[in-house]
Amino acid sequence: MAMKTVEEDEVGISCFISDLPGFRGILKQRYSDFIVNEVDRDGAVVQLSSLDAPEEELESVQENGTNTSDTVVSYASRIEAFKILAGEPDAILLEEFVNKINAGGEVSVSPIVLSPDSDKSHRKAVHNFFKENFKFLVTDVVDGPDASLKCIRVRLNSAEPNNKGKNSKKRKERGDKPFDSRGSENWPENVGKFLRFHIYKENKDTHEALGVIGNMLGIQPKSFGFAGTKDKRAVTTQRVTVYKQRASRLASLNKRLFGIKLGDFCYVKEGLCLGQLMGNRFTITLRGIVSDSEDIIKASADALGRLGFINYFGLQRFGSGSLPTHLIGAALLRGEWKLAVDMILDPREGERSAIAKARKYYKENNDVVGTLKQLPRYLVAERAVLQSLKTSPGNYLQALKSIPRTLRLLYIHSYQSYLWNHAASKRVQKYGTEQVVLGDLVNCKENSTAKITEFVGSEYPEDCSGGYDSSNQNEISVDIHEDINSCVKVVDAEDLNSGCYTIDDVILPMPGSRVKYPTNHIANVYEDLAKKDGISLTESVHNVEEFSITSITGCYRRVFQKPINFEWELLTYSDSNKQLVETDLEKINKSAPTNTVKPIDVGNGKTEEAFDCIREFESSDDFPKVENFKDIAGEEVKLPHGESLCDSSSQDSHTALKLSFTLPASCYATMAIRELLKTSTSVAYHKTLNQ
């Protein structure tokens, strides 16, 4: 039986701050209706302002590691020269081949075969070109498609003096790389080893976008660093770092990238790590507003800015579609490995027919190999589990551990979030939203804001040692420093009398071994829910640390969150396809000379349809995006027939509400919009708007 989509009340999302009535609107009718700009730790909003590489380029680097500014031609220039000699197709093939070698693929990279060539003198010229310009490569001749044609084969020169042999795998011994990469010494000492740039993307997931760029550069995904993932169905701008790459090389990709632009390049000493951001700046446009009066909209918008919203973990925290990640997390905490594997692989409601067919096939036949042939590669967890079961049938714990660590830990974090949401709802139901009460947990006033933010505002680790892995999804670790409780206290009678704490200071713990719990009735919510699920918050029933609540430190989260620098505006429009807010790229186009920069369009001449983006537009940077944007189609969302507020006599005039605000990392924009509209954020609910 297919699992059903998770509803809000199932994961503890049930309360609102204000009692104002809601209204209806179309969310992300166009993906440009949802614009996200990262905010760095200095509070600066990250924007795409230039697509050009810096004027001063790095010194060219010789193959032996010495620098020169005059005598050595860069490999990009050599490939350009090869294009003149052999043609563009072979030049592209050569560039990709060299990039693969640079990415660390000396051992596994396969030779390339150039286009058939019947001209012997031309073939000789090609051989000589490689001898002079690519000493780490060798060429020979192989038969072409018929007897009159020959092809030049190009492969890595295993006899090169600096090459330690085909079977050498030690990175420090790889002294013949054509480009610098991790472990290479061939980089100017006076230049930062990381290139930082701003990536602008439209309707693309962060991991997918970096995967595309990595393929074009021929480098491993772990070479990239970033502070957090951004939404797929949106227009987003964020910072990225890459190890030892030239700005000019990345800037040259812009003409070949679709839906992605790179710019604002600079060299820095350190790469970005997850969590190194203050938050995100959102510009959200709700189209097709339908309400009984304009006053309701104005009052609701004012209330959101003044009162904020309950800082719930949104539905996306608990899985895309119908994947019940908190239930999987509960099974892991109980040590029920087979049950957890079954939930990961079982059929689900609402999936594409090909995936549903593959899941059903496995459920009925238990054929691992046959199922792997049917499952798409972007189903990371499912494929990892099946690959493990293929080699070790019946070893379900090993299968679970084969899932990328950051993704499998999210199952545990999802269960923590499930408990937190229920505790937050109970706090609102029992004690309201206006006053601090006895036994509440709050941030200590004597601690600095910076220190408090360390434990309350972010759940990201800052461990860059492992790099970025495209198969791993965004890690939200709650294992934090030993003094986690130094900035948290329980409210006592003296605190209440002094009035030094307000409702904005109230926090609740994410369960772990080192957190405090409130000393009022809210503490019972954690214990009662966990007990109902057969889980102890103080003892582990197994010795697998990463799946044990007692091995997780825990952290704290603010119960009520106000949008920062909140602004709103009512707009009138008649064309649903009209862009209502300028993107970063459009601002560049306005200031750039004619035809310098081409705008990104939807493609195929198609107009975007209204899209139910609720499940995908979370403000948080904390849930894995394992869906491939090429395979997931939008779902149309239409409002019931109704007149526009601005002109009830015209069917062509519509009202939109533009919202601009900043949220700290790990806060969900869906929860802010939920407070405004007073409607569920579940996909199932929004599907009813089509009926």
Side-chain angles (χ1 to χ4, degrees), residues 247-376:
S248 59
R249 192 159 178 240
L250 271 76
S252 69
L253 300 181
N254 280 322
K255 59 186 177 182
R256 297 163 53 193
L257 288 167
F258 175 78
I260 304 170
K261 294 296 178 187
L262 312 177
D264 300 276
F265 303 98
C266 66
Y267 295 98
V268 295
K269 294 181 179 179
E270 296 181 354
L272 281 168
C273 303
L274 290 172
Q276 291 183 334
L277 75 168
M278 183 176 291
N280 296 291
R281 181 73 181 171
F282 297 89
T283 304
I284 301 172
T285 306
L286 301 172
R287 295 185 185 239
I289 297 297
V290 176
S291 179
D292 292 338
S293 73
E294 189 172 300
D295 290 339
I296 291 176
I297 301 172
K298 293 179 178 179
S300 297
D302 285 338
L304 178 61
R306 188 177 68 258
L307 303 175
F309 57 95
I310 302 171
N311 196 24
Y312 289 123
F313 290 96
L315 284 179
Q316 197 175 49
R317 178 74 161 187
F318 305 96
S320 177
S322 62
L323 177 63
T325 50
H326 64 295
L327 298 182
I328 298 174
L332 294 174
L333 292 171
R334 291 192 300 266
E336 297 177 351
W337 316 131
K338 185 179 186 304
L339 176 61
V341 167
D342 287 343
M343 281 195 280
I344 291 171
L345 297 176
D346 275 352
R348 300 180 192 139
E349 190 179 71
E351 284 192 311
R352 293 171 62 237
S353 58
I355 300 173
K357 182 180 178 182
R359 291 189 187 277
K360 183 180 179 182
Y361 175 81
Y362 178 76
K363 185 82 171 177
E364 295 176 349
N365 300 282
N366 199 35
D367 179 4
V368 173
V369 176
T371 307
L372 279 170
K373 291 179 180 179
Q374 300 180 51
L375 277 179

Side-chain angles (χ1 to χ4, degrees), residues 2-28:
M3 291 179 282
K4 295 183 178 179
T5 303
V6 177
E7 297 294 338
E8 285 185 345
D9 60 346
E10 295 177 54
V11 293
I13 304 172
S14 58
C15 299
F16 298 99
I17 286 183
S18 78
D19 56 3
L20 291 170
F23 52 92
R24 289 184 175 181
I26 302 176
L27 203 50
K28 288 189 181 177

Side-chain angles (χ1 to χ4, degrees), residues 333-334 527 530-531 533-541 549-550:
L333 292 171
R334 291 192 300 266
E527 186 177 348
K531 185 176 180 180
D533 292 327
I535 295 168
S536 170
L537 296 181
T538 58
E539 297 179 1
S540 179
V541 296
I549 197 76
T550 58

